[in-house]
Amino acid sequence: MTPVRRVFVDPGSPQRDAIQEAAKWILSGGVVALPTDTLYGLAADPFNAEGVARVFLVKGRGAERALPLIAADAQQVIAHLGPLSPTAARLAERFWPGPLTLLVAAPRELAREVTGGTGRVGVRVPANDVARAICRAAGRPLTATSANVSGEPATANPDEVERTLGDRIDLLIDTGPTPGGAASTIVDATGAEPALVRAGALGWDEILAWLNTEPA
């Protein structure tokens, strides 16, 4: 078994060469384990069918299940996935970076397996400097499904990522244990009214309260 290349990164001041190495692997069709503001995730290029197939292979996951995305900022989401609806834009303004995943229409260029055949994709901007820096270096949103074998618990521990997936991935960006906690709240922002898809770290009442305030 070939051990994965594991790069230790300062979460408060990530080394530029480590960020660039991660982006290079991802853009060449590789899979990189990286920290988010909750757990460790698997990053691949969602516009590269080969890279997306690798993610499913790493996890042993059925291709009918969609892959969530993360992005550097709202501008990157708009540039690669398309304009946000007025509701989505207001939610992004208030809750990004943070634990809010917005379902948006998927562009045709996105690998079909990313959407699970739904035509929609979930995306958020995580409150994690390293994850956002890697998205910025790659120049596009990236997949961020949990770094675990399908059916096993997701993990906040990079040692566990190496133990379970070390022979399947190309690079592990290690910033130490991540905070863990509740998963992101998922909101469908593709229709005229927002709809709660999955309850999570962000309260639905808080989301609705924000939408019911007058824009500044």
Side-chain angles (χ1 to χ4, degrees):
M1 183 176 75
T2 303
V4 65
R5 174 164 163 71
R6 185 169 176 173
V7 178
F8 296 90
V9 172
D10 180 347
S13 182
Q15 303 94 305
R16 178 179 169 80
D17 57 346
I19 299 300
Q20 292 294 335
E21 181 179 357
K24 183 177 179 180
W25 273 113
I26 291 165
L27 293 176
S28 65
V31 177
V32 173
L34 50 67
T36 73
D37 44 358
T38 52
L39 304 166
Y40 272 80
L42 295 176
D45 180 356
F47 297 90
N48 182 326
E50 179 183 333
V52 170
R54 282 279 314 281
V55 172
F56 285 106
L57 187 63
V58 167
K59 288 181 68 73
R61 178 173 175 168
E64 73 281 357
R65 297 184 61 190
L67 298 177
L69 305 183
I70 56 172
D73 49 39
Q75 289 70 34
Q76 188 175 72
V77 172
I78 293 166
H80 291 276
L81 302 182
L84 296 175
S85 69
T87 296
R90 284 209 71 207
L91 291 174
E93 175 190 9
R94 171 65 179 84
F95 298 110
W96 284 355
L100 174 67
T101 294
L102 294 175
L103 283 185
V104 299
R108 286 182 297 176
E109 297 81 6
L110 206 65
R112 185 179 183 277
E113 290 77 12
V114 172
T115 73
T118 65
R120 299 179 299 173
V121 64
V123 63
R124 73 185 182 99
V125 176
N128 180 283
D129 292 340
V130 172
R132 293 200 310 274
I134 293 173
C135 290
R136 193 170 294 111
R140 63 196 60 200
L142 303 173
T143 70
T145 185
S146 56
N148 59 293
V149 174
S150 189
E152 296 297 319
T155 184
N157 187 340
D159 292 339
E160 185 67 9
V161 175
E162 181 173 30
R163 185 187 71 80
T164 57
L165 301 179
D167 60 340
R168 306 183 189 187
I169 60 178
D170 300 298
L171 182 68
L172 168 56
I173 297 294
D174 180 358
T175 60
T178 56
S184 65
T185 300
I186 301 178
V187 173
D188 185 346
T190 60
E193 296 292 332
L196 179 65
V197 176
R198 182 184 74 188
L202 189 62
W204 183 233
D205 288 347
E206 184 178 358
I207 291 170
L208 292 179
W210 168 252
L211 291 175
N212 287 330
T213 60
E214 289 294 328

